[in-house]
Amino acid sequence: MRFLNTKALDQLDAQAFQHQRPYPWVNPPGVLTDEGYEALRQSLPSVDRFEASFGKKRTYGQQPHDRLSLSYTPGMELSPAWQAFMEEIKGPVYQDFIARMLGTRNYELRCHWHYAPAGCSVSPHCDALSKYGSHIFYFNTEEDWRPEWGGQTVVLDDSGRFDFRSAPAFEDFDSAIDSTAMGNYSFLFVRNGNSWHGVRAITCPPGHCRKVFIVVIRKRRSAFKRLYQGIYQWYRRTAA
């Protein structure tokens, strides 16, 4: 089974993407094959494996980004479908797609799953300077979700008025565009000084969660920085 829909990826226009306003973003359908999407949706990691992140302070006075989170690490226990999909994410088709859309190969990928129950939200922000952007895959369908419950990534346009080191509310922006966030859709965007986006508060009933898988496209670290961070993480583990 193949998961990435190479035809759909090839049809995305990198030049049009890079000139999109208010910043580069695209919300295409079908970048996964129908069969692959369903196999991934049916075998998502169980919620008991996730770490709760609620009420954590953010910089610049922004509201917490509440969610349940699970980070991908090589060798972790996954369904056969997710294991195969992660190999495709590491492979040349997806790597070439990201390089073409962003115009650089100087990146590295980090992946994680986020589940968001009722009340969770993502306040408007521009992402960390260490990122080139992110690719969000949505995994809710009509079987488990209603559009009015929320979960859409919102593209926000400030017309250049706000410093990214600030905390505007959704209603402070000049315009807001909701992504399509149900079914086999994804959302790719580039991080820059005005790449404001967020997710309004989820209003689903108990027992439901917004479910996304996110490929974070990070600026590649230098060999020295990787070594330094490796030593620092080793020290933290041994000192604990």
Side-chain angles (χ1 to χ4, degrees):
M1 180 186 299
R2 301 295 299 177
F3 294 88
L4 292 169
N5 183 344
T6 55
K7 183 177 180 180
L9 295 177
D10 291 343
Q11 288 177 343
L12 291 173
D13 187 327
Q15 186 173 7
F17 169 75
Q18 292 165 7
H19 288 85
Q20 178 67 282
R21 294 292 179 265
Y23 53 86
W25 68 274
V26 67
N27 182 205
V31 298
L32 300 177
T33 64
D34 291 341
E35 298 82 2
Y37 177 80
E38 189 61 20
L40 294 172
R41 189 178 75 85
Q42 293 289 348
S43 61
L44 284 160
S46 60
V47 70
D48 60 355
R49 299 177 61 183
F50 284 61
E51 178 181 351
S53 177
F54 294 90
K56 289 188 176 181
K57 293 183 64 175
R58 289 180 54 83
T59 54
Y60 318 132
Q62 296 168 2
Q63 294 299 305
H65 292 180
D66 293 337
R67 63 208 177 198
L68 304 170
S69 183
L70 175 66
S71 296
Y72 170 77
T73 56
M76 70 186 298
E77 183 180 348
L78 293 171
S79 71
W82 277 100
Q83 290 175 354
F85 178 53
M86 293 310 303
E87 291 304 311
E88 290 193 16
I89 290 293
K90 300 173 190 176
V93 170
Y94 190 75
Q95 299 285 330
D96 289 348
F97 164 71
I98 293 297
R100 178 172 64 84
M101 297 298 284
L102 272 63
T104 180
R105 288 189 178 274
N106 188 35
Y107 66 82
E108 55 190 16
L109 303 181
R110 296 289 185 271
C111 302
H112 46 250
W113 296 262
H114 284 170
Y115 294 176
C120 293
S121 65
V122 177
S123 59
H125 66 291
C126 291
D127 278 354
L129 291 168
S130 59
K131 297 181 182 180
Y132 280 124
S134 294
H135 193 183
I136 304 170
F137 295 84
Y138 301 106
F139 282 100
N140 292 108
T141 71
E142 293 180 354
E143 293 184 16
D144 62 2
W145 201 255
R146 300 289 181 268
E148 58 267 27
W149 297 346
Q152 300 88 352
T153 304
V154 185
V155 177
L156 299 163
D157 187 1
D158 68 339
S159 299
R161 291 184 292 115
F162 301 136
D163 190 300
F164 73 88
R165 297 174 291 255
S166 63
F170 283 99
E171 57 269 22
D172 295 329
F173 290 86
D174 298 332
S175 67
I177 302 171
D178 287 1
S179 68
T180 300
M182 285 184 60
N184 188 6
Y185 276 78
S186 68
F187 182 85
L188 173 68
F189 72 96
V190 165
R191 189 267 170 217
N192 61 28
N194 73 322
S195 56
W196 292 97
H197 62 287
V199 180
R200 296 186 180 92
I202 302 295
T203 61
C204 61
H208 293 264
C209 282
R210 174 188 189 252
K211 297 181 179 181
V212 297
F213 175 72
I214 305 175
V215 179
V216 179
I217 309 153
R218 296 175 57 90
K219 297 176 182 177
R220 191 182 300 277
R221 298 169 296 169
S222 67
F224 174 79
K225 190 171 184 179
R226 290 197 299 272
L227 176 63
Y228 173 82
Q229 291 180 341
I231 293 173
Y232 175 70
Q233 292 298 329
W234 172 83
Y235 173 78
R236 289 189 61 184
R237 289 195 300 270
T238 55

